[in-house]
Amino acid sequence: MAITIKDIARITNVSATTVSRVLNNKHEGVSLETRQRILDTIRELDYKPNAIARGLVTKKTNTIGIIIPDISNQFFSDIARGIEDGASDHGYNVFLCNTDDKLDKESKYINALKEKCVDGIIFASSSMPNIKIISELIKGSIPVVVVDRHVEIENVYGIYTDNFRGGYIATKHLIDLNHKKIGCITGPLGNHNSKERLDGYKQALLDSCITFNEDLVAEGNYKINGGMKAAEKLIRNKQITALFVSNDLMAYGAYKAIKAAGLNIPEDISIVGFDDTELSQIIEPELTTIRQPAYQMGIEAERALIKIISGKSVKDRNKSFSPNLIIRKSTSKYQAKII
Ligand code: RIB
């Protein structure tokens, strides 16, 4: 039988209220001797406060939910790590929900976190977000902070990267290396940040008077296999000399397709990725990419959520991080081949 707060009170000859005050570090009116007797008894009997009972009283569970689409992608595990580190510092536990980019799992986890009465939710939507469900969540009673994947719902708090700028500086880097036939492998175009990166690519071409050719664009799925299939399509007779790939996992897939076609990186095709996950500095040749601060995004999202839970104001509803170009060995200057 689990030890209850009433057992501690009876054994130490004080009221349950006094025990609760000591548990919550509210010592006014409790003598040092009484406090020590209560703490000793709690330790001897290994008493653990009942979280559900406590939640019924405080209306808080000191838990937050994290919903992300792909825990196997280091970008999202870095976000989750930042959230968990911040939550732990603030005395919160986390429930981590991985939706596998599937809408049915996304709905299931949103309902599960509501049933667990979490104090708040940090949410990165699937590639094809269900705006109705997300809108109900955001307009509901549980505070929500959206991270990475923008949702077109007013008054939502969000932590993002400037994806347009990321697509722009990636493409501009290739243009500055004298490339003109630059392909683009996008993320799933139902995803807001995939569209923004593609728009940045288009704008960089336009600003350098390079005509946009939609035949040089292929849609991917933010996974290795999607990058490989899209690259196979683009390198077939397209004479591209460079590729902007909208995330690092797909860039790894593009490597495989380019090497399978007997081509070399960067001599035949230069590649720029997006995210800067750890493998990008291990893969051969090391990947030039756009870094987004995933861990810091997680820290900021958790910080904003705790403020909202505590009824404090959050300075800016949409915090956007600037991406950085990380130049490595997968890009080089284009030189026309003399046949
Ligand atoms: O790698 C996964 C991609 O999807 C990242 O670029 C991130 O922005 C997420 O939206």
Side-chain angles (χ1 to χ4, degrees), residues 73 75-76 148-149 191 193 197 222 246-247 275 292:
N73 182 333
F75 172 80
F76 290 111
D148 172 60
R149 294 185 168 180
N191 182 317
N193 63 24
R197 293 173 197 175
Y222 277 150
S246 296
N247 86 327
D275 287 347
Q292 45 177 346

